[in-house]
């Protein structure tokens, strides 16, 4: 059993990656953090719970155990900027989305950052790559769905209220056009407002692993948390989650069906 991730194997060429729902904070890191940092407010709350249904579909699921404040698995190991000109949250964040300091003093040194990459970042990405490679060998294709959520309003990151379904394909580079269109069509026809390659075009995972020419198609879905999470009370909302799960399942079916054509 890994201390870095949970993994569920499936028989479909579909992997659901959940890099930001982890809550663990190693004591040597937690002890240096502010109360704001220890509260891990920027967690993609209960995304793994939201997607539990994919196990019955036969999909693989990879879920991080550690908080994104330990190391952000959706950033490159060299901390390359994803969205030039916009707020940079970083590989080892030092401020919350709201601007609060995560650490009581000091910063994460380059040496500590490298250590976190080796201990927490690399095992997740090695498992991700191994799973996609195995799918390509078995099925001739691999489909990667990077699952995220975020509060509906984060003024430091974007203006106004975020649409519910934010699909990213790195502007079409990480996923075949027909496959991307099939998924987007389901989202657009749903009861939720949806956008393709808007504020969120896909992070490192989508951009790095999506290689349509090699049979690997990757999409990121950033969900506004109001669709399944009571943002005022800070808890999962089963009544809202059920219809959203139906839409997510239909999007994933479209993802799979389009890849067969």
């Amino acid at each position: 059993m890994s201390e870095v991730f949970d993994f569920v194997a499936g028989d479909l060429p579909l992997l659901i990656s959940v890099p930001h729902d982890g809550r663990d904070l190693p004591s040597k890191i937690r002890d240096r953090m502010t109360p704001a940092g220890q509260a891990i407010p920027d967690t993609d709350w209960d995304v793994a719970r939201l997607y539990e249904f994919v196990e019955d579909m036969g999909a693989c699921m990879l879920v991080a155990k550690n908080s994104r404040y330990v190391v952000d698995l959706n950033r490159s190991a060299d901390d390359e900027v994803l969205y030039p000109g916009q707020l940079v949250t970083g590989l080892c964040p030092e401020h919350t989305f709201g601007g609060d300091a995560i650490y009581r003093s000091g910063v994460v040194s380059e040496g500590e950052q490298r250590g976190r990459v080796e201990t927490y970042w690399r095992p997740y990405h090695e498992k991700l790559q191994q799973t996609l490679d195995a799918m390509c060998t078995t099925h001739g294709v691999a489909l990667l769905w990077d699952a995220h959520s975020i509060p509906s309003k984060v003024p430091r990151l974007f203006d106004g209220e975020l649409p519910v379904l934010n699909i990213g394909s790195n502007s079409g580079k990480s996923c075949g056009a027909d496959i991307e269109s099939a998924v987007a069509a389901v989202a657009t026809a749903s009861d939720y407002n949806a956008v393709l390659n808007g504020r969120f075009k896909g992070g490192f995972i989508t951009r790095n692993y999506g290689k349509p020419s090699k049979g690997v198609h990757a999409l990121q879905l950033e969900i506004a948390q109001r669709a399944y999470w009571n943002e005022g009370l800070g808890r999962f909302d089963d009544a809202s989650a059920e219809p959203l799960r139906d839409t997510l399942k239909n999007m994933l079916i479209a993802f799979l069906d389009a890849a067969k054509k």
Side-chain angles (χ1 to χ4, degrees):
M1 180 177 294
S2 171
E3 295 181 358
V4 176
F5 58 79
D6 289 317
F7 180 73
V8 176
D11 53 13
L12 290 175
L14 173 62
L15 170 62
I16 311 299
S17 162
V18 185
H20 289 160
D21 194 4
R23 322 288 172 85
D24 292 353
L25 292 170
S27 59
K28 62 183 179 181
I29 296 175
R30 172 185 284 274
D31 291 347
R32 295 162 50 200
M33 296 171 74
T34 64
Q38 292 176 355
I40 54 173
D42 303 324
T43 302
D44 291 10
W45 298 110
D46 281 338
V47 166
R49 178 178 175 182
L50 181 66
Y51 279 89
E52 284 177 340
F53 68 89
V54 303
E55 295 182 32
D56 291 334
M57 290 178 63
C60 297
M61 196 167 184
L62 179 64
V63 182
K65 291 184 176 181
N66 291 284
S67 168
R68 70 190 300 162
Y69 289 171
V70 176
V71 67
D72 192 332
L73 300 170
N74 204 24
R75 300 292 183 271
S76 67
D78 61 4
D79 209 6
E80 180 182 1
V81 174
L82 292 171
Y83 296 100
Q86 299 182 18
L87 179 69
V88 177
T89 54
L91 178 64
C92 295
E94 294 173 0
H95 291 85
T96 69
F97 290 169
D100 295 319
I102 291 174
Y103 296 95
R104 292 195 303 271
S105 62
V107 297
V108 181
S109 68
E110 290 185 9
E112 182 179 358
Q113 183 167 290
R114 288 194 297 269
R116 293 191 193 186
V117 166
E118 291 304 315
T119 302
Y120 306 107
W121 187 96
R122 201 165 303 284
Y124 188 92
H125 284 273
E126 287 176 348
K127 184 63 176 179
L128 200 161
Q129 186 67 70
Q130 290 167 4
T131 303
L132 296 177
D133 289 345
M135 287 176 174
C136 285
T137 298
T138 302
H139 301 281
V141 66
L143 304 178
L144 171 61
W145 186 276
D146 204 38
H148 296 262
S149 77
I150 194 169
S152 299
K153 296 180 179 180
V154 185
R156 294 182 76 233
L157 294 184
F158 52 83
D159 295 330
E161 187 174 70
L162 196 69
V164 171
L165 302 175
N166 301 268
I167 305 167
S169 67
N170 193 21
S171 298
K173 297 175 185 176
S174 70
C175 184
D178 291 345
I179 299 174
E180 172 190 273
S181 296
V183 173
V186 173
T188 302
S190 74
D191 293 332
Y192 305 98
N193 52 344
V195 63
L196 175 63
N197 291 312
R199 168 60 181 83
F200 296 95
K201 294 177 170 39
F204 172 76
I205 290 174
T206 305
R207 301 179 193 207
N208 182 65
Y209 294 100
K211 296 179 174 63
S213 64
K214 296 184 178 180
V216 182
H217 302 272
L219 293 173
Q220 175 178 299
L221 181 64
E222 189 86 55
I223 299 174
Q225 288 173 351
R226 67 181 181 277
Y228 74 95
W229 178 265
N230 188 315
E231 295 187 85
L233 298 177
R235 66 188 185 196
F236 196 83
D237 185 339
D238 287 292
S240 297
E242 281 310 305
L244 177 59
R245 284 184 175 126
D246 290 339
T247 294
L248 295 176
K249 184 174 183 179
N250 290 335
M251 292 172 70
L252 291 171
I253 290 172
F255 198 22
L256 287 160
D257 288 347
K260 296 176 184 177
K261 297 179 181 178

